[in-house]
Structures are given as structure tokens and as C-alpha cells.
Amino acid sequence: MTSGQEISEGVFEYSVSEIGEITPDSVDIDLDIFPDLSRTRIHYWKSDWGSEWAPVVVSALETVEIFTSAGRSSKGFHPFVIVEDGEIAAIVAIAFSGNWKIGVSKTGQTLRVNGGLSSFNNEVPRNLKPSDFPKAYVSISTSGVHVASRQLTSAMRKISNRGPRKMKMEWNTWWPYEDVAIDQETFLRNAKVAASVGLDVAVMDAGWFGPSDKSTHWFNFRGDWGLVNSERFPEGIEVLAEKTRELGIEFGIWIEFEALGELAQLNIQEPSFMAQSISGDQIKDLGYICFGNPRARDYAFKSLAHLVEAYGVTWIKIDFNVDPGAGCQRVDHGHDEHDGLLRHINALYEGLDEFHSRFPGVIVEACSSGGLRWDLELSQHVDVGFPSDTDWPEHALSCFWASSQFFPAEQLLVWCDSQWLGDHVHQNFTVAELGDTDHLDFILAITLLGAFGLSQRLEDFSAKSQKKLARYCSLYVEHFRPRHQIGMSVAHLTNQPERELAGERQVAFALETPGFESIVMGFTLPGARGSKVLEYVSSHIKSTTRVRDLMKGEVSDVQVHEGKIIFEIGPIENQARILILEN
């Protein structure tokens, strides 16, 4: 990491098959770049359903060990660590969608980082090639966390083979209707509104498949993707897709193509597909199709391709609501008892790349009970990732603040304050109560930060609410989509907001894109005390800058000293500012 006293800056890539001092499934990295460990901090993030990206900060004098054993990369912790002292920063990431570990410990004046695959009962995969193992990335900067983050996200863009992002704006059925309240007419009524306000694609979430019974619960029949619920969709999905396109909007669909429900006929037809754990005489079904079995993998990806070939979808939401744990231990799938999960995940990556080669125009969204399987490697094989099932404004901003340190912003799907059919203490948005208020402006402004999506009852939007939504769609198309397609860097101007009125209550970002003016965005959450004055410094800002306030529709000239612009975030909760700095 260093050369004499000079710090080597940039992004460094490692394979965790490199032999470390502890196990052959890990890599050891010495960070001898921090002059005073007593003033150095280690940041990491806890994660569980609805509580992703919960920050933890400790002194570098403490030993940190984080890992996941659930078989999903973001169940328990997120696979990232930041070490910084206010000037020097190092970001460490394990790029793998299964079980991983990161440890940071002090050895003299050096921090040793050990990262790689986490193991069960000291058993690690065997007989694997170096290319079978995941990668680790380390981004180092002497100019702080923002530059280290910018280096990492830029490197991830260069690695990706998916080309410029399409950045389509989507509406999704899930939260206001789930599976029990959705049917053909409900979908089409909402799709008509979505088309009229300028959204690009209407996505049919779970509930479209299974036996023809309105009470059918999607979870039990995953795997039977050829079985359409004709009670809800009497004309079938092909006709639904055609009628959607006739409204002037594209059609998308949800699938959990790795999963296998306990009532699915596929269990009977193909008993060798199920992933299983084995302990002595005890055999347990794990609830997913093991891609280590080539026939099972082919079935799953044929199901995925069928959605495009039969229904003409342009957006596929791939979900994964399963904790594989150590993964499949069957030895009749082509893997041994210790590498089933690794083989499954690598086959998933390969299959997604093959799918993209066949259908480059289809957007693939990664979801896993919200954000419980989201990492740098999976992000290279899909277009966008879903950060969390819960998305009330405080949590949506918290997730974006943290995840945009590591992922390109254009890959972060941002929903905010979805309208829930079920109950959640914080998910209280209803169109009737809040649709015509400033609160709708606030949540739509948050949605502009990343890939634009929403999940509300559009059919209940008043004419006034529809006009507001159309305005934000236009703002996205004019100002945000072009920046995202080139690659936007996010500068974090405040600390992270946290759930339950904790953390920063007035949050600000600067969105920086080569060839475009910077955009500064500020958000006031409940619990703010007074106005907050912030500084944004950039070498690209001229001595006199014209500031365009997109929320107020006002333009003013501001004097700038040494590339520094000062702006204020007001004290009124659920208010947003969007400022374009026009040079």
C-alpha cells in the first residue's frame, strides 16, 4: 500500500484466492498509511430487513470483525469498511454475493485487513481455480473519503460491460397492491396514469403467476413460472403486456427465478433441482434451485428469457427471498459439499451476462427482500439494485447516503414513501392525505437522486398530484437522466441521516458530472433545529455563479470565493432544495 513514505493512491484489486496467513480463502492487506491510529476511525454498516445501512463507527485501536453467514451478501452486515483519519481514507470491499468476512486489527502502527470467504465449521471450498474466487477492492486517497469513493465508483463503471445506463423511470405494483389486490384492470388503470405523467415502464410485481385462485399466495408457488393466475389476469400476461404498450408505456415484470416454493409442481417434476443441506441423516430443503446443477440453471434462465420472448418485457425485477446459509451440499449437482453456494453464485453471474448478451435492451433489477443481496460483484451483472423494502424518507436518504459511497448512483434504485397495503409504523403515505401537499414534492425530489421509481396508487392521484408527478418526470429527463448516463459522482456534504430521528437531520449532496453543471440537493427531515448553512467547494465553480433553484423556479447570481459556494437548508421538515450551479 505504500512506497517509502509516499502513499500509493487509487483502486487496487485482489483475488481472495491469494494465500494469506490465516486461510487459503482470504487475502491480507497491510494499511501502513495512517500516521496516528488513535485519531483514525473504522466505519461499517449493519443490515437486516428494513434496517439496511445502519452505521457503526469505532476507533482504529479496536479490532473489527464483520461477516455474513446467511448466504446473502448484505444480511447481517454490508461488505464494506472505510478507514479514515479525516484526510487519508481507505475503502475496503468484498465483491461477492454470498458469505464473506472482513477483519481489521492493529499490529504496531499498521492496520491489517483480512478479507474473503467466511466458512462454516472451518470448511472452505476446495479444488477451485483462482478465477472461481471473488475479488476484493481497496480504494485509497490522501484527499479524504469523497475522493476514495469517487475512485471506487469510477472503477466499477469501467469494469461493467453493460454500457450506458438507460435510466428508465418505473412504476411498480408491489406496495399498494402486493399480490392479493392486483389484477388486470387495476394494473391497466395505474399504467394509464403512469403513461400520462411521462413514466417509461409499468412493472407487474408478484401475484401474476400460480393457480387460478384470487387467494393464491405467490411465495408457495415460486418456480411454476408457466402457470398464470387467470382469476386475476383472465386474458393472460401476453394480452396484459400488449394493452399496457397500447397505453404508451413499456411493460416490465417480477420473477424470483432462483427460488422454489414448497407447493410448486417443479418440486415433483424435477426433484434434483432443489438445493439441500445435509447433516448426517438430516436433509433440509433450502428453498432455491441450485445452479451448480446445469439442468436447473438452464431451466431458470429459460424462464427468464421466456418473459422477454413471450411478453416483450423491457424491465425484469429479479428477487431472492431465501437465506441459503452455507449453500447446497448435494454431491449430485456437479459441486462438492463445501462449494455449492460459490458455484451457484458464479453460475448466476455467468447466466446474467449471457442473458444481457441476448437481450441488451432489457433492464435487470436486483432485489433480495429489499437490499439483502447487494454487492459490487452482483452490480456488475445487473442494471440497478433495490436498496431496501422500507423507504420512508428518513430511511431512503440514509440508504442512498451510505450506498452511494460504494455504488455508482445510477445503479441505485430510489423509491421513497411507497404506499403500503400492509402495516408499517413508518410507511404512512396515502394519496388521499398527502398527494396534494408539499410532502409529495419532498419524496419525489428524493427519488431524483438515483434510478427513478415509485410504488403508489397512481389511480388515486388527483389532477394536481398527477401534474406534480409529471413535473418531476420532466426534471428527471432534463437534468438527472443525462448526468446519470454519463456517470455522476456524489459528494456527501453532511453526515448520514439515521432512522428514528437519529443522525443528520438536514442532508445535502453535490452531484458532479463531467461536462455538466453541478447540482446541489438539500433535504430537511423531522427533528431539524433551525436552518443549516453549508459550504460546497469545487474548482469548477467560477467567481460569479448563477444559481437556478428548481423547487422555487428562481435564478440568482452568487459571488464565489476560492471555489466555495455557501447555501442554506431551511428548518421546515419535509422540504427539499435543488440548486443547479450554472457557470
Side-chain angles (χ1 to χ4, degrees):
M1 292 292 99
T2 64
S3 175
Q5 296 301 309
E6 182 180 349
I7 297 176
S8 299
E9 299 186 71
V11 178
F12 304 87
E13 179 183 309
Y14 300 86
S15 168
V16 301
S17 63
E18 296 171 314
I19 297 178
E21 295 184 4
I22 301 176
T23 62
D25 63 319
S26 64
V27 59
D28 293 329
I29 304 164
D30 287 336
L31 295 176
D32 53 349
I33 58 177
F34 298 100
D36 185 353
L37 293 184
S38 68
R39 300 177 59 187
T40 302
R41 294 163 294 277
I42 301 172
H43 304 252
Y44 60 94
W45 286 263
K46 295 181 178 180
S47 177
D48 207 337
W49 182 87
S51 60
E52 294 89 343
W53 297 106
V56 181
V57 184
V58 299
S59 168
L61 300 177
E62 299 183 32
T63 296
V64 168
E65 295 180 352
I66 61 173
F67 64 93
T68 182
S69 59
R72 292 196 276 179
S73 54
S74 304
K75 181 73 177 288
F77 297 92
H78 292 278
F80 305 96
V81 165
I82 296 178
V83 186
E84 54 82 23
D85 64 4
E87 295 180 356
I88 301 169
I91 299 176
V92 180
I94 301 296
F96 182 56
S97 303
N99 297 315
W100 55 267
K101 61 184 179 183
I102 301 176
V104 184
S105 58
K106 174 180 174 292
T107 304
Q109 287 301 304
T110 296
L111 289 178
R112 169 155 291 184
V113 179
N114 174 261
L117 301 178
S118 62
S119 59
F120 289 76
N121 301 320
N122 296 317
E123 295 286 355
V124 298
R126 304 167 184 157
N127 304 318
L128 300 178
K129 305 184 298 296
S131 60
D132 292 326
F133 285 89
K135 294 180 174 63
Y137 296 96
V138 180
S139 179
I140 295 177
S141 174
T142 58
S143 300
V145 173
H146 171 53
V147 175
S149 170
R150 186 171 62 200
Q151 291 175 170
L152 180 62
T153 55
S154 296
M156 293 302 103
R157 287 190 184 102
K158 292 176 182 177
I159 292 170
S160 174
N161 64 355
R162 303 187 78 82
R165 305 292 172 173
K166 301 168 187 66
M167 305 311 296
K168 293 179 180 179
M169 299 176 290
E170 63 133 1
W171 171 76
N172 181 288
T173 63
W174 179 248
W175 285 121
Y177 302 105
E178 297 187 7
D179 62 330
V180 296
I182 192 66
D183 56 31
Q184 176 173 307
E185 294 308 313
T186 302
F187 184 89
L188 292 174
R189 287 196 303 271
N190 282 273
K192 182 178 181 180
V193 178
S196 70
V197 298
L199 293 168
D200 299 301
V201 57
V203 179
M204 176 68 230
D205 212 290
W208 59 270
F209 67 95
S212 296
D213 181 347
K214 288 184 178 179
S215 64
T216 292
H217 190 266
W218 61 272
F219 194 85
N220 297 322
F221 297 94
R222 294 167 300 159
D224 290 348
W225 305 114
L227 191 60
V228 175
N229 189 318
S230 59
E231 280 287 325
R232 296 176 185 154
F233 301 95
E235 296 183 280
I237 303 303
E238 185 174 359
V239 171
L240 178 71
E242 290 173 355
K243 289 187 173 182
T244 301
R245 287 187 286 271
E246 289 171 0
L247 294 172
I249 190 167
E250 297 173 18
F251 180 70
I253 204 165
W254 170 100
I255 188 172
E256 192 174 354
F257 78 132
E258 295 165 77
L260 188 49
E262 61 181 22
L263 299 181
Q265 287 297 306
L266 187 63
N267 270 317
I268 299 172
Q269 297 165 357
E270 297 287 356
S272 68
F273 282 13
M274 177 68 80
Q276 295 176 326
S277 64
I278 302 172
S279 178
D281 295 333
Q282 300 297 314
I283 299 176
K284 178 184 177 182
D285 291 347
L286 296 178
Y288 72 97
I289 294 172
C290 177
F291 285 3
N293 179 342
R295 288 184 59 250
R297 175 191 179 276
D298 289 348
Y299 170 84
F301 278 97
K302 284 179 181 177
S303 299
L304 203 63
H306 177 75
L307 301 177
V308 184
E309 294 167 340
Y311 308 140
V313 302
T314 58
W315 184 301
I316 298 179
K317 177 180 178 179
I318 293 175
D319 210 343
F320 189 59
N321 296 293
V322 178
D323 285 339
C328 183
Q329 295 176 303
R330 296 175 65 154
V331 294
D332 61 341
H333 282 176
H335 59 76
D336 68 31
E337 61 182 311
H338 301 304
D339 68 355
L341 184 61
L342 182 65
R343 295 295 191 189
H344 174 84
I345 290 172
N346 284 345
L348 172 66
Y349 299 150
E350 293 168 2
L352 288 171
D353 287 346
E354 293 168 5
F355 179 85
H356 177 66
S357 296
R358 287 185 64 191
F359 307 107
V362 177
I363 291 175
V364 176
E365 170 196 345
C367 177
S368 183
S369 310
L372 298 187
R373 189 176 69 175
W374 186 229
D375 53 87
L376 291 184
E377 185 61 41
L378 183 58
S379 74
Q380 299 305 308
H381 306 281
V382 299
D383 295 281
V384 294
F386 197 68
S388 178
D389 272 352
T390 53
D391 60 12
W392 75 98
E394 177 184 62
H395 183 51
L397 283 170
S398 180
C399 288
F400 181 83
W401 189 100
S403 57
S404 59
Q405 302 265 15
F406 313 107
F407 297 93
E410 64 269 19
Q411 287 198 270
L412 302 175
L413 181 58
V414 181
W415 294 3
C416 189
D417 231 4
S418 295
Q419 185 172 352
W420 279 39
L421 179 67
D423 295 324
H424 187 282
V425 64
H426 294 299
Q427 300 287 166
N428 299 313
F429 178 89
T430 64
V431 175
E433 294 180 5
L434 298 171
D436 289 343
T437 70
D438 290 343
H439 185 82
L440 183 60
D441 291 278
F442 183 64
I443 64 177
L444 291 174
I446 293 172
T447 304
L448 297 172
L449 286 165
F452 188 109
L454 67 162
S455 187
Q456 280 106 5
R457 292 176 61 99
L458 298 186
E459 61 178 322
D460 292 346
F461 272 43
S462 68
K464 181 178 178 180
S465 297
Q466 290 184 36
K467 186 176 180 180
K468 280 190 179 185
L469 179 52
R471 176 173 179 263
Y472 282 90
C473 290
S474 297
L475 289 177
Y476 192 79
V477 169
E478 181 179 358
H479 299 292
F480 291 84
R481 176 184 284 169
R483 289 168 167 84
H484 280 305
Q485 289 175 325
I486 289 177
M488 191 169 69
S489 177
V490 179
H492 301 71
L493 306 183
T494 61
N495 291 328
Q496 181 179 356
E498 300 176 46
R499 293 179 297 278
E500 310 299 340
L501 300 176
E504 183 62 64
R505 310 317 298 164
Q506 287 152 302
V507 190
F509 307 96
L511 312 180
E512 304 167 334
T513 311
F516 285 85
E517 302 97 341
S518 294
I519 298 178
V520 174
M521 301 183 72
F523 306 91
T524 302
L525 291 165
R529 298 180 179 179
S531 297
K532 188 180 187 72
V533 178
L534 293 170
E535 296 179 351
Y536 171 53
V537 180
S538 173
S539 60
H540 301 294
I541 299 177
K542 296 181 179 180
S543 57
T544 300
T545 294
R546 175 162 291 184
V547 176
R548 183 178 299 275
D549 189 324
L550 292 184
M551 301 299 285
K552 296 180 178 179
E554 299 174 352
V555 178
S556 59
D557 290 332
V558 177
Q559 294 298 312
V560 178
H561 179 63
E562 296 180 347
K564 180 189 302 181
I565 189 167
I566 297 174
F567 66 99
E568 181 178 86
I569 304 176
I572 301 175
E573 66 182 53
N574 298 333
Q575 296 287 312
R577 297 200 74 185
I578 306 175
L579 307 176
I580 297 183
L581 310 184
E582 299 179 341
N583 292 327

